[in-house]
Amino acid sequence: MDVLEFRPSPDQYAWTFGGAPPVATVKPGTLLKLWTEDAFAGKLRSTEDLPSASLQMPDVNPQTGPFHVVGAEPGDVLAVHFVDIEPARDWAASSTIPLFGGLTGTDRTPTLQPPLPERTWIYQLDRARGTVAFEASDGEFHLELPIDPMHGTVGVAPPAREVRSALVPDTFGGNMDTPEMRAGVTCFLTVNVEGALFSIGDGHFRQGEGESCGTAVEGAMNTTLLVELIKAGSAQTPAWPRIESDTELMVVGSARPLEDAWRASQVEMVRWLSELLGIDQLDAYQLLTQISLCPLANVCDTNFSAVTKVPKSLLPPVTAFGGMHTYLREQAATL
């Protein structure tokens, strides 16, 4: 198995999906050991560091990558299996940002009220206990929360020569901000350009569904993943990112308004169930209605993201993408 270890220098960060030259070329089957910076580019280090003074748009959400995958062509499917996601620092940051978040007026939903005050919270990591400490900014309240490391951004270059900000989720993946993107899952992304040009970033020590204020417990990560390629024609080409865990099938849809993000994930799951079970799409629609779970991913980004989940326990045995998730899980177990 080929292994590539890569830690980008600041001048190697990608700030977009598409439009950035590859930092390395990898073959399918390669194990990648990557370091990723947090969404604030490491600039919020204390409660005194406020976003308006410390951050310079659009230099947020730095990505590690992109990686050119040998043999990847438009219409293929890239399988990214997260073997391990570990905090790379003993602290992480979160904040309220003026005119950003789910419960405030924004530049897209203007109101006459002034922006909410900006604050920064620093979460200290207890590695031995696997927790981060929430400290109230006003008062003495303290709470230990279990870590649940994940990546907010996972994606490939978009089609049609588009260059999209690393803040945007769409059909190519990107800033989906779903807590489901954790160790042990496989993400399936349709390749749009030669080489796929795959990137990851935006590590979260933990995040609630919806990412209400717009920022999670944002932290640098050491992430190990396996990359594989499924050639066009051997499986249905996803219109939206799909995720498989040991227990669930999932689809992430991204759009505005939020119901369109939900619709995108639902329609894609109908297509997936129809394919896997060999049933009519209306039958798949009926089945989905009775068994799906629909957590939010984010309600703050340029597009909102919604997830449709189906428990495998409610289905007959199914094999998605030729059993790629199981194969990659077995590969990971040998490391």
Side-chain angles (χ1 to χ4, degrees):
M1 179 185 296
D2 290 342
V3 179
L4 175 67
E5 297 189 31
F6 183 75
R7 177 175 178 143
S9 57
D11 65 316
Q12 291 177 308
Y13 296 151
W15 304 95
T16 61
F17 286 91
V23 295
T25 297
V26 299
K27 295 185 292 187
T30 298
L31 182 74
L32 298 177
K33 295 184 176 182
L34 307 177
W35 183 90
T36 63
E37 182 55 277
D38 68 44
F40 305 123
K43 294 179 180 178
L44 300 189
R45 294 174 172 263
S46 78
T47 56
E48 302 304 312
D49 295 328
L50 298 180
S52 62
S54 303
L55 305 180
Q56 182 66 45
M57 294 296 288
D59 292 344
V60 291
N61 257 17
Q63 300 300 296
T64 296
F67 297 93
H68 179 108
V69 180
V70 175
E73 300 173 300
D76 295 343
V77 178
L78 191 71
V80 180
H81 180 74
F82 289 89
V83 178
D84 191 39
I85 307 174
E86 290 289 336
R89 295 188 182 118
D90 288 335
W91 58 270
S94 191
S95 67
T96 50
I97 299 173
L99 298 177
F100 182 67
L103 300 180
T104 180
T106 73
D107 59 345
R108 295 189 176 211
T109 55
T111 65
L112 290 176
Q113 291 87 357
L116 290 177
E118 59 179 334
R119 294 183 184 177
T120 295
W121 291 259
I122 300 297
Y123 289 75
Q124 298 296 332
L125 172 67
D126 186 325
R127 290 185 185 273
R129 298 177 60 179
T131 60
V132 287
F134 169 76
E135 300 277 356
S137 62
D138 183 4
E140 302 298 321
F141 186 79
H142 171 99
L143 187 65
E144 295 292 323
L145 299 172
I147 62 170
D148 186 9
M150 52 156 289
H151 273 281
T153 50
V154 181
V156 294
R161 300 177 183 170
E162 287 188 354
V163 177
R164 304 294 294 277
S165 164
L167 291 172
V168 177
D170 212 313
T171 56
F172 58 87
N175 193 30
M176 297 176 284
D177 283 323
T178 171
E180 305 294 347
M181 204 70 74
R182 55 172 63 93
V185 308
T186 305
C187 179
F188 299 95
L189 298 162
T190 293
V191 174
N192 301 302
V193 303
E194 183 180 352
L197 299 182
F198 159 75
S199 301
I200 68 167
D202 191 24
H204 299 169
F205 288 14
R206 67 169 294 118
Q207 179 209 301
E209 293 172 353
E211 199 181 21
S212 302
C213 82
T215 62
V217 183
E218 311 279 348
M221 291 292 183
N222 290 313
T223 297
T224 302
L225 54 87
L226 282 164
V227 175
E228 265 294 355
L229 186 64
I230 303 165
K231 295 301 292 181
S234 58
Q236 187 183 65
T237 300
W240 290 93
R242 297 179 181 181
I243 304 171
E244 183 175 2
S245 71
D246 292 346
T247 58
E248 292 168 314
L249 302 174
M250 294 168 269
V251 172
V252 185
S254 299
R256 282 200 184 205
L258 182 58
E259 57 262 35
D260 282 353
W262 171 82
R263 288 186 181 109
S265 68
Q266 290 270 300
V267 168
E268 184 68 9
M269 185 60 80
V270 165
R271 294 178 67 235
W272 202 3
L273 289 175
S274 177
E275 172 197 1
L276 290 173
L277 302 176
I279 60 177
D280 177 81
Q281 286 199 2
L282 280 181
D283 288 325
Y285 182 24
Q286 171 61 211
L287 178 61
L288 176 75
T289 303
Q290 315 311 334
I291 66 174
S292 67
L293 304 170
C294 301
L296 297 176
N298 91 80
V299 294
C300 302
D301 293 334
T302 307
N303 286 328
F304 302 149
S305 296
V307 181
T308 292
K309 301 168 58 173
V310 169
K312 290 182 179 178
S313 62
L314 298 181
L315 301 176
V318 293
T319 302
F321 295 104
M324 181 60 76
H325 171 72
T326 299
Y327 168 75
L328 292 174
R329 284 288 271 165
E330 291 171 350
Q331 292 290 104
T334 66
L335 300 175

